Amino acid sequence: MNRLALAIVCAVACRGLFVAEGCRGDERAEAEALANGGFEKGVEGWEPLWVREAGAGRATLDTDERRGGDKALRIDHRGDKDWSLAHALRLEVQPGDILELTCWVRVRGEGSATLGVVTRDAAGNVADWVHGARRAGQTDGWRRLRSRFVVPPGIATIWPRLIGDGPATVWCDDFALARQGSIAELRGRDLPASVRIRNATVEATLRTDNATFAFRDRRSGRTWAQSAGRASPIVLEAKATGPAVDLTLLDPASMREITASARLDGDAPELVISLEGQGAMEAPLAWPAPMASAPGQLLILPVNEGISYPADDASLPEMRYHLYGGHGLCMPWYGVTDGAAGWMAIVQTPDDAAVSLPRRKGLLALAPEWEPQKGQFGPRRVVRYVVFSDGGYVAMAKRYRRFAQAAGLFKTLAEKRKDVPAVDLLVGAVNVWYRDRDAVARCRELQAAGIRRILWSSALPPEQIRMLNDLGVLTSRYDIYQDSMNPGNFPRLRGVQAGWTSEAWENDDLTTDANGHWVRGWEVEAKDGTRIPCGTLCDRQAVAYAKRRIPPELATHPYRCRFIDTTTASPWRECWHPKHPMTRSESKRFRMDLLAYVSGECGLVCGSETGHDAAVPFVHYFEGMMSLGPYRVPEAGRDMARVWNDVPERVAKFQTGHAYRLPLWELVYHDCVVAQWYWGDYNNKLPALWDRRDLWNALYGTPPMFMFERTIWTANKARFVESYQTIEPVARACGYSEMLSHAWLAPDHAVQQTRFANGVTVTANFGDAAFSLSDGATLPPLTHRVEGLPRP
């Protein structure tokens, strides 16, 4: 028995709590609260079943399938959304009370059931809809759900519930609620009010009443303080030893004891916080607490290229980004700046991590979260906080660049070119997705018009590949090692994609979830207009499929490049299949093995979708890094060829607007990977925004992307040539160079400037008015100036 368990037993004994009749062994608890928890009096004391979708569920008494007594409650739910079974009790509680809520469930079907309580403050406002959550998917027989939790600060009442989602039949029985003491009885008697450590640059102070840190920059005197939430861990013990604080924490939602440390890194203004725990983990752990934001501050996040969210921008919703895949954050760091001073968090164990953006006192903040690893606490979690007195988001990016170099994530394009000489064909090349069959004639026409450097992404017959290779074109094709359509569905589809790894169904190689169900992937439209989901190939198996596919094709089709879709876009996945189990960390490793096979053993220029810095050593370009994922046109990945003449407001505001975008990726990795637009979000996708996209490419030193067929090319030939000639000189000249800096030259961010290590400086005006530069020159609207270009 650990110290925490022993303390709870002692607290219960001291309070003289009684044992309910009929409880056995470890089920003993104080049964003071939940009347009719076993449904022996029917549904007396229970509220009617609530369902999100009208008519999707019902609750009935069952005398055949029961756990104890004569009855259980059966819930039949047919909908895909959620439902709730709530007790009538609203129990008054005190912050710090320890309670235990238990029940028995049996779940059959694809849905799930979760036990927990709704917490409310004294005014009746909901703080948490499912505090102390304990979840069950499909079960073999009856399973006991046990939720032991601490009442958070500011909470006055709790409301016990069993909730669920998805289609399932759920039986429940023998609910019980017990008080088990107070957190005050568990804290160390000599716990200090605060603990402080310092070095030459920063001072960190831990408040033990709410588990928050304050960081004082000793160089400037500026303090950054965390803001405690209602679910913050409880400090049981804290002690400073030299430059470190050792802590014992208690997670109030799970009653899990966590060992933590906070260590200053030499004399650098950096604090490294680590957490360790054991046992089952049902929900994310949100600690350390978010820093308190202030008006005028910017939240800096590498959402693809990067974005800045004003903390006081009321138009922005609360958000959440995972760190384990390109559709979350493409680099595992984030921060806040006032334009000069600021702080950043580098998440050193990002594979089961996320960051949420809640509003605190009306201002957006950054709140780190640690997700379970296959239902367990998993390995040690580490986050590094860095305080800046100057430099803003550029200083953050450059600090992460040094971290990436030390972590082995860094390999420049110049180094990669030594291994794959065709990399030089990529740098400065326009990525062309062409939908007609006259590829050779079209490439000759492009080159004759001045578009000399071309990445041709559409698959071709062998002889056409050879002819394009002779023209100096980088020949490529699309490939994928995720989507696995069930062959049994082929007759229902309009076509079958050659890239599907459909043999995974027969080989038993699909990713499965914790309930043994195959994980749904991309949905394909059937002949009748419905959508049929693919399965997903387990990443552990992907390299074997690539080895069976790529070498035989290269023997007859001399491609120089290959684009691997989804690998760096979709999140790292857990697989629960007993033959090929996988954590997210293992998923990432297997995906990197796939990319390393393509670029290494196959010797190809390698690209992947959207992008994530775990893949930097193995790839040469990312399709989609330039396109901020949340702000693309609707169905960008399905309706790629559609040209939009009407501009969605979100696209104009965030994707091509100048107020929010940042080149964080370029500041870290410009000389390592070529960044491109997404294939459903290319330069000519929205003609009204074409000029702005060209400016972004020129400013960032990245190449354009075109998608067209013969008639579009013919009608817009001059505009395509103009686009290429605007962008290519910078993209080619700076392709192997570090982006040293980025700056806003105008208060509204309409005029921006980048500098590269080869001496090139690009200034772009995205605004509606001319801008006077410091040398007296005038920069008209939607134009740019390039200085320092080397002579051809």
Side-chain angles (χ1 to χ4, degrees):
M1 182 177 291
N2 62 29
R3 182 180 62 80
L4 174 58
L6 180 61
I8 291 175
V9 169
C10 292
V12 171
C14 291
R15 285 185 170 217
L17 302 180
F18 61 90
V19 176
E21 292 184 14
C23 291
R24 306 186 304 275
D26 64 353
E27 299 173 42
R28 294 184 178 182
E30 179 195 4
E32 62 173 71
L34 280 186
N36 193 30
F39 302 102
E40 298 307 299
K41 297 181 180 179
V43 293
E44 179 182 316
W46 292 88
E47 299 196 353
L49 179 71
W50 173 89
V51 293
R52 178 78 59 183
E53 301 158 279
R58 64 173 186 167
T60 57
L61 294 171
D62 195 327
T63 57
D64 295 324
E65 185 65 49
R66 61 192 188 281
R67 190 261 161 187
D70 296 327
K71 303 181 185 71
L73 193 70
R74 170 174 169 159
I75 299 168
D76 293 288
H77 186 252
R78 300 178 301 278
D80 294 323
K81 297 182 180 179
D82 53 325
W83 54 265
S84 169
L85 175 70
H87 198 275
L89 174 73
R90 272 66 164 178
L91 183 66
E92 294 183 1
V93 293
Q94 295 293 326
D97 283 351
I98 300 171
L99 294 101
E100 180 177 272
L101 175 64
T102 61
C103 76
W104 289 82
V105 297
R106 183 173 184 178
V107 182
R108 182 184 299 163
E110 297 182 5
S112 64
T114 300
L115 181 69
V117 298
V118 178
T119 57
R120 284 188 168 91
D121 62 20
N125 300 311
V126 172
D128 192 343
W129 285 103
V130 59
H131 184 65
R134 294 295 179 271
R135 179 185 179 277
Q138 182 161 302
T139 62
D140 294 325
W142 286 92
R143 175 182 167 187
R144 189 182 187 220
L145 294 181
R146 181 188 185 206
S147 173
R148 179 181 288 170
F149 57 89
V150 177
V151 176
I155 298 304
T157 63
I158 61 170
W159 183 24
R161 296 195 304 166
L162 183 70
I163 63 175
D165 62 83
T169 298
V170 178
W171 290 266
C172 53
D173 205 354
D174 294 342
F175 285 80
L177 179 64
R179 296 182 188 268
Q180 293 194 335
S182 170
I183 202 65
E185 297 157 349
L186 304 181
R187 285 181 181 268
R189 295 183 179 179
D190 56 350
L191 184 68
S194 63
V195 179
R196 182 174 301 166
I197 52 177
R198 67 172 65 184
N199 61 17
T201 56
V202 71
E203 177 180 273
T205 302
L206 169 72
R207 284 182 51 177
T208 60
D209 63 335
N210 61 11
T212 62
F213 281 94
F215 304 92
R216 187 175 72 87
D217 189 336
R218 300 184 69 189
R219 300 161 298 181
S220 65
R222 178 72 176 268
T223 297
W224 304 90
Q226 294 175 345
S227 173
R230 285 173 171 166
S232 297
I234 297 157
V235 180
L236 300 180
E237 295 177 348
K239 181 180 179 181
T241 305
V245 177
D246 294 318
L247 306 92
T248 302
L249 303 172
L250 186 68
D251 176 18
S254 66
M255 291 296 290
R256 177 186 297 104
E257 193 170 296
I258 299 167
T259 302
S261 69
R263 174 181 54 81
L264 292 169
D265 192 354
D267 276 331
E270 303 186 7
L271 183 74
V272 181
I273 297 178
S274 64
L275 303 84
E276 294 184 80
Q278 294 181 344
M281 185 172 174
E282 296 277 349
L285 173 67
W287 191 82
M291 296 282 190
S293 301
Q297 292 179 350
L298 298 175
L299 279 58
I300 307 299
L301 296 103
V303 178
N304 306 116
E305 278 288 355
I307 201 162
S308 61
Y309 292 125
D312 52 1
D313 187 338
S315 71
L316 297 172
E318 295 186 327
M319 291 166 273
R320 186 178 188 272
Y321 292 102
H322 63 258
L323 275 58
Y324 44 85
H327 287 325
L329 299 187
C330 67
M331 297 180 283
W333 65 271
Y334 44 84
V336 169
T337 181
D338 60 8
W343 64 268
M344 72 180 297
I346 301 174
V347 182
Q348 297 183 196
T349 53
D351 296 343
D352 299 291
V355 60
S356 63
L357 282 71
R359 285 200 178 272
R360 298 286 184 89
K361 298 181 179 179
L363 301 174
L364 288 174
L366 294 169
E369 293 183 4
W370 306 108
E371 296 188 6
Q373 184 186 83
K374 298 193 79 172
Q376 301 291 310
F377 187 91
R380 187 166 66 111
R381 315 300 182 101
V382 183
V383 59
R384 175 184 295 266
Y385 286 90
V386 185
V387 176
F388 299 91
S389 57
D390 200 8
Y393 59 84
V394 175
M396 296 178 194
K398 295 306 176 182
R399 174 62 186 94
Y400 184 74
R401 181 179 167 97
R402 296 193 299 273
F403 175 86
Q405 290 169 328
L409 293 171
F410 205 84
K411 188 175 183 180
T412 66
L413 285 166
E415 294 172 305
K416 296 172 184 177
R417 183 179 54 188
K418 297 175 183 177
D419 301 325
V420 183
V423 165
D424 196 56
L425 298 175
L426 172 71
V427 176
V430 56
N431 189 344
V432 175
W433 288 94
Y434 185 64
R435 304 197 311 277
D436 284 331
R437 296 186 178 184
D438 54 340
V440 176
R442 192 63 52 229
C443 278
R444 285 174 174 160
E445 187 176 356
L446 263 67
Q447 290 184 332
I451 302 176
R452 301 294 306 173
R453 306 186 64 81
I454 302 169
L455 163 61
W456 193 266
S457 290
S458 302
L460 296 170
E463 185 56 32
Q464 291 191 33
I465 298 172
R466 294 186 183 95
M467 295 175 74
L468 290 191
N469 288 342
D470 291 342
L471 292 173
V473 173
L474 181 58
T475 50
S476 183
R477 63 152 290 180
Y478 172 95
D479 203 358
I480 187 169
Y481 295 91
Q482 174 174 291
D483 294 339
S484 303
M485 176 58 73
N486 187 339
N489 291 322
F490 287 178
R492 301 174 56 193
L493 303 176
R494 295 190 172 108
V496 176
Q497 296 183 21
W500 286 338
T501 52
S502 293
E503 60 268 38
W505 287 84
E506 180 180 353
N507 297 341
D508 201 17
D509 285 338
L510 295 179
T511 307
T512 59
D513 63 21
N515 297 320
H517 303 135
W518 55 273
V519 174
R520 273 60 174 163
W522 184 255
E523 294 182 342
V524 180
E525 188 169 333
K527 295 175 183 177
D528 62 3
T530 61
R531 288 183 177 178
I532 303 174
C534 291
T536 57
L537 177 69
C538 180
D539 294 318
R540 184 183 286 272
Q541 314 299 83
V543 172
Y545 282 71
K547 288 182 176 180
R548 292 196 293 268
R549 177 184 294 176
I550 298 176
E553 183 182 50
L554 291 179
T556 57
H557 293 64
Y559 290 110
R560 292 168 165 171
C561 177
R562 206 170 188 95
F563 173 69
I564 310 299
D565 198 14
T566 75
T567 295
T568 55
S570 64
W572 321 145
R573 286 189 172 92
E574 295 178 340
C575 181
W576 295 72
H577 197 294
K579 293 182 180 179
H580 40 83
M582 186 173 65
T583 63
R584 290 193 188 97
S585 294
E586 291 170 327
S587 170
K588 177 179 72 174
R589 176 165 60 86
F590 294 133
R591 294 193 193 190
M592 299 310 106
D593 289 346
L594 172 64
L595 299 172
Y597 172 73
V598 174
S599 60
E601 291 188 41
C602 296
L604 297 171
V605 174
C606 181
S608 194
E609 183 192 354
T610 300
H612 191 281
D613 80 335
V616 167
F618 314 110
V619 302
H620 305 101
Y621 69 99
F622 286 129
E623 281 196 16
M625 184 60 73
M626 285 289 292
S627 299
L628 309 185
Y631 308 113
R632 300 169 185 172
V633 296
E635 300 286 8
R638 292 186 181 277
D639 199 4
M640 289 90 71
R642 175 186 172 188
V643 173
W644 284 65
N645 293 309
D646 296 325
V647 179
E649 189 272 337
R650 284 165 58 85
V651 176
K653 181 176 180 179
F654 296 102
Q655 190 69 269
T656 62
H658 51 261
Y660 296 88
R661 281 190 72 112
L662 285 174
L664 302 178
W665 178 264
E666 305 306 327
L667 286 164
V668 178
Y669 287 123
H670 185 270
D671 50 343
C672 295
V673 181
V674 175
Q676 302 174 352
W677 298 102
Y678 180 62
W679 70 344
D681 188 53
Y682 38 89
N683 288 64
N684 58 302
K685 178 75 173 180
L686 297 98
L689 300 178
W690 198 337
D691 289 344
R692 301 184 67 83
R693 287 191 191 272
D694 289 355
L695 283 184
W696 287 118
N697 281 129
L699 184 70
Y700 289 8
T702 59
M705 176 186 284
F706 301 153
M707 181 176 285
F708 55 77
E709 41 84 22
R710 186 186 304 111
T711 58
I712 293 177
W713 161 256
T714 302
N716 298 276
K717 179 179 176 179
R719 183 64 187 87
F720 281 115
V721 172
E722 178 189 353
S723 182
Y724 177 85
Q725 293 178 343
T726 296
I727 299 165
E728 189 273 344
V730 180
R732 177 61 183 170
C734 300
Y736 293 105
S737 296
E738 176 186 354
M739 180 186 281
L740 297 178
S741 68
H742 170 267
W744 292 312
L745 302 187
D748 64 355
H749 305 175
V751 183
Q752 303 186 18
Q753 187 177 83
T754 52
R755 292 190 306 111
F756 295 88
N758 65 341
V760 171
T761 298
V762 182
T763 309
N765 183 358
F766 296 92
D768 299 325
F771 184 82
S772 298
L773 299 173
S774 59
D775 62 0
T778 298
L779 194 63
L782 292 181
T783 63
H784 72 295
R785 185 175 79 171
V786 182
E787 301 169 88
L789 270 181
R791 292 183 178 180

